Amino acid sequence: MRSMKKAATAWVLRAIAVSLFCGGAALAEDQPAAELWDLAKAKQGIHRFSTLFTAHQVRDNLSSEGGIDAAIDWCRKTAVTKVYVEAFRDGYQAKREALQHAKERFQAAGFEVSGCVTTTRIGKRSTGWNGISCYTDQATQERLQAIFEYAAGLFDETMIDDFWFTDCQCPQCDAARKAKTVTVGERTYPVAGDAWEDYHCELMVRLSQQRLLAAARRVNPKARLIIKYPQWYDQFQERGYEVLRETADFDRTWVGTETRDYQDRHWGGTPQYEGYFIMRWLGGIGGPKCGGGWYDPYGTTERTYLEQARQTVLGGARESMLFCYGSLLEHTGPKNVQTLRQNIPELLAVAEQVGRRRIVGVAAYKPANSHPEKEGRVFDFVGMIGLPLVPCHEFPTDAPAAFFSVHAMKDPDLPAKLARFIASGKPVLLTDGLAARLAGKVSLAAANVQTIPIRSEPKRLLDLTQEELDSLRLPLLRPSGCPFRAPSRVALYLFADGSWVIENFNDKPVVVELAGKQQRVAGRGWTMQWKSGGREQAPAIQ
Ligand SMILES: [Zn+2]
């Protein structure tokens, strides 16, 4: 519930035109820790920072009073006001006394406390990813259920880290796939088709309902489970992440915005804009159930770590989960955390502005369970070239402009819907891959249709020249009245009231032009302007 004090603060903010111009450089000094903690507590209803203690970190960091003291001190200095204390990971179950004691200590220190389970190294191994299980195996299902019953006995809310999937193709799974039947305990369920994704999705949906949600609620009627979706959205269905039914079944959803450094040899290849795209896309599916984003320090520099934070906030998240305490104490972690701490006041201020506004721009249609074919992550790259995307999972009939890729082929009515959209005269951008698939089905020979050359390699979009990009954007941004001239790797975010954000992912500063006005944006920095007003869009965090 929104308190009177918060409502008054919001009213004052609405009454004045707020204009922030922020460079990429971190603020000059660390925010005094106590002040930052007070700010975090005051703003946690709008946006909250949280962290997670893995089961092993519960054992190693939270099993002594000194360890808990150090963790509480770190959290306070990092504006973290909520912690997830994990009961199970990688075959290890944390001790009940340690979990219970850590929970009580954190609660006494003013933190919200929830649990977590990571479903790795449980029972029979999958033939695929290391650490993943074969859930066709009934003994594995039993063990899984026991883990969630254990967690629900300790916590009212439990997060599930993004290993809640299966890619097993063992003979037992294969026989069930061919028989088009999922068996969970005593019950069997029909499966729509005989593809692996049909089997894996049905299996994970039914397991979630029976072995997780129902089992947890029998132990604790107040038990709430959060499904955290990974950042690899184009492969969800292959491994059984079924975003429509699972989002409907689970109490809350969380979103992986851990893009890491595009150039990193081990972790790279995902451009920064992906964090924003997936946060908005899953936010559209989850609505008020969608709680927050989640990012980590692996394969990051301070700059990319901060960009993950910014993308999560621009994506409309109401919480930023910093995975995880132990990893943030080593390698790249401490420097990332130092940079984050310096930027938290700004991130909270931006989150407050974003939360009041609706995004506008170019609709980007990715139906649930849609296949990327040779256009994997194309949305992320389209965002990196300065098109302000409005991600959606349903056909954007009423959008003023839209982008379509081969993902849209998942929609059986696409040809008719697209033909009507084109006939309306609104600007349309299509990938060359989709244009080829629609040959003979939809007439694309209209002045309002542009085709963009992906040539099966979305990252090529980053190589387009500013001249090419400026002319590509011009018709698409005409309905918003915001023509945008900028080189590649500069993203634009537009809001319904005319507010905007420009983020520069280039190392060097750029001078861009938005609606006829020049703006200088620092290297790896952002610039923004908030108009007065902005009505409430996001409900207060639950
Ligand atoms: Zn199997």
Side-chain angles (χ1 to χ4, degrees):
M1 290 293 267
R2 184 165 289 273
S3 71
M4 288 296 286
K5 192 178 166 194
K6 281 179 193 162
T9 309
W11 183 85
V12 170
L13 282 170
R14 267 177 241 158
I16 54 172
V18 182
S19 178
L20 292 171
F21 290 92
C22 313
L27 302 179
E29 291 175 24
D30 279 323
Q31 186 89 358
E35 207 177 296
L36 189 63
W37 168 255
D38 289 344
L39 179 72
K41 293 284 277 184
K43 299 291 182 185
Q44 62 183 344
I46 293 160
H47 192 88
R48 185 201 300 276
F49 287 87
S50 62
T51 195
L52 191 154
F53 298 85
T54 65
H56 302 83
Q57 289 157 16
V58 171
R59 180 192 64 199
D60 300 338
N61 300 95
L62 301 183
S63 293
S64 70
E65 299 306 328
I68 296 174
D69 290 341
I72 287 174
D73 182 57
W74 183 93
C75 288
R76 290 173 66 98
K77 287 177 176 160
T78 315
V80 163
T81 60
K82 180 176 182 180
V83 296
Y84 296 84
V85 183
E86 191 178 70
F88 184 92
R89 173 180 294 255
D90 291 343
Y92 174 72
Q93 187 163 291
K95 297 268 185 293
R96 182 181 297 275
E97 306 74 44
L99 290 164
Q100 188 66 37
H101 184 61
K103 177 183 165 184
E104 287 164 8
R105 284 284 322 269
F106 273 106
Q107 283 177 335
F111 291 82
E112 292 237 356
V113 186
S114 289
C116 183
V117 167
T118 298
T119 52
T120 44
R121 288 185 56 199
I122 298 172
K124 183 181 165 186
R125 292 170 66 161
S126 165
T127 57
W129 277 28
N130 199 18
I132 300 302
S133 301
C134 168
Y135 292 115
T136 302
D137 182 64
Q138 293 295 316
T140 302
Q141 291 185 13
E142 297 286 345
R143 176 72 189 112
L144 174 77
Q145 181 172 330
I147 292 164
F148 278 86
E149 287 168 346
Y150 178 70
L154 286 155
F155 301 99
D156 288 344
E157 180 178 83
T158 299
M159 177 87 85
I160 310 170
D161 193 357
D162 62 15
F163 295 88
W164 180 227
F165 65 89
T166 186
D167 53 358
C168 188
Q169 299 189 359
C170 75
Q172 196 187 352
C173 286
D174 198 38
R177 174 187 67 81
K178 286 176 180 153
K180 295 201 281 185
T181 304
V182 158
T183 304
V184 178
E186 303 291 308
R187 297 192 199 171
T188 60
Y189 304 90
V191 182
D194 65 357
W196 276 112
E197 68 181 62
D198 296 322
Y199 181 69
H200 287 151
C201 283
E202 194 66 38
L203 177 62
M204 297 312 290
V205 166
R206 299 301 181 181
L207 279 170
S208 296
Q209 291 170 347
Q210 224 174 295
R211 300 284 193 184
L212 272 56
L213 290 158
R217 285 171 189 152
R218 276 196 298 273
V219 171
N220 176 357
K222 287 193 282 185
R224 301 196 301 178
L225 296 185
I226 305 171
I227 185 166
K228 185 244 170 175
Y229 294 112
Q231 56 97 343
W232 32 268
Y233 61 79
D234 268 337
Q235 281 75 44
F236 281 175
Q237 63 280 347
E238 288 172 23
R239 300 170 190 148
Y241 272 115
E242 215 279 36
V243 292
L244 294 182
R245 286 196 287 166
E246 289 186 328
T247 299
D249 289 343
F250 280 90
D251 300 288
R252 303 186 78 188
T253 68
W254 235 253
V255 182
T257 54
E258 59 276 65
T259 52
R260 290 89 179 224
D261 195 312
Y262 185 68
Q263 307 289 351
D264 188 83
R265 284 178 61 190
H266 181 66
W267 299 95
T270 303
Q272 291 94 325
Y273 191 85
E274 196 266 4
Y276 168 84
F277 177 81
I278 188 172
M279 194 72 232
R280 288 283 177 186
W281 184 66
L282 287 171
I285 292 170
K289 278 191 178 183
C290 184
W294 163 313
Y295 48 89
D296 62 40
Y298 311 126
T300 62
T301 63
E302 296 97 283
R303 283 175 156 183
T304 43
Y305 191 75
L306 181 57
E307 283 164 348
Q308 292 182 150
R310 289 173 176 166
Q311 292 297 298
T312 302
V313 164
L314 289 170
R318 289 173 291 140
E319 184 175 313
S320 295
M321 223 296 293
L322 313 175
F323 185 88
C324 61
Y325 178 67
S327 294
L328 290 168
L329 295 182
E330 59 185 21
H331 307 301
T332 58
K335 279 192 167 181
N336 286 342
V337 169
Q338 187 185 12
T339 299
L340 180 72
R341 286 172 176 171
Q342 290 165 342
N343 283 273
I344 275 172
E346 183 188 80
L347 289 164
L348 289 172
V350 174
E352 191 159 11
Q353 298 295 339
V354 169
R356 292 201 188 107
R357 291 173 171 85
R358 183 169 59 85
I359 53 166
V360 294
V362 180
Y365 180 35
K366 177 178 162 60
N369 310 316
S370 55
H371 301 96
E373 299 186 16
K374 292 176 179 171
E375 295 181 353
R377 302 179 170 203
V378 68
F379 306 99
D380 314 340
F381 292 98
V382 171
M384 292 293 285
I385 58 172
L387 285 171
L389 298 185
V390 180
C392 58
H393 66 287
E394 290 172 345
F395 189 90
T397 306
D398 299 323
F403 164 68
F404 299 98
S405 60
V406 291
H407 299 79
M409 293 297 294
K410 181 75 180 178
D411 183 342
D413 301 323
L414 180 72
K417 291 175 181 168
L418 185 58
R420 279 198 294 277
F421 196 92
I422 291 170
S424 73
K426 293 188 281 195
V428 175
L429 181 67
L430 295 175
T431 62
D432 50 354
L434 180 62
R437 296 284 296 274
L438 292 173
K441 294 177 185 157
V442 180
S443 173
L444 303 175
N448 56 321
V449 176
Q450 286 191 85
T451 302
I452 194 170
I454 304 290
R455 298 192 197 109
S456 306
E457 227 181 325
K459 67 181 179 186
R460 295 168 67 111
L461 293 176
L462 297 179
D463 299 330
L464 293 174
T465 66
Q466 175 164 353
E467 198 179 12
E468 290 168 319
L469 293 175
D470 288 351
S471 75
L472 177 84
R473 289 186 212 107
L474 196 60
L476 292 157
L477 291 176
R478 197 164 286 137
S480 66
C482 284
F484 186 50
R485 296 176 183 277
S488 180
R489 296 181 174 83
V490 180
L492 174 65
Y493 311 82
L494 295 178
F495 299 85
D497 67 347
S499 298
W500 50 263
V501 176
I502 300 169
E503 186 165 5
N504 177 16
F505 297 111
N506 296 284
D507 291 339
K508 293 182 177 168
V510 292
V511 176
V512 302
E513 192 183 295
L514 181 67
K517 281 182 74 174
Q518 285 201 338
Q519 307 289 344
R520 186 180 185 279
V521 194
R524 310 294 285 271
W526 60 355
T527 297
M528 62 200 73
Q529 186 161 39
W530 303 110
K531 306 285 182 181
S532 60
R535 77 187 166 83
E536 292 287 332
Q537 287 292 331
I541 198 159
Q542 292 160 3

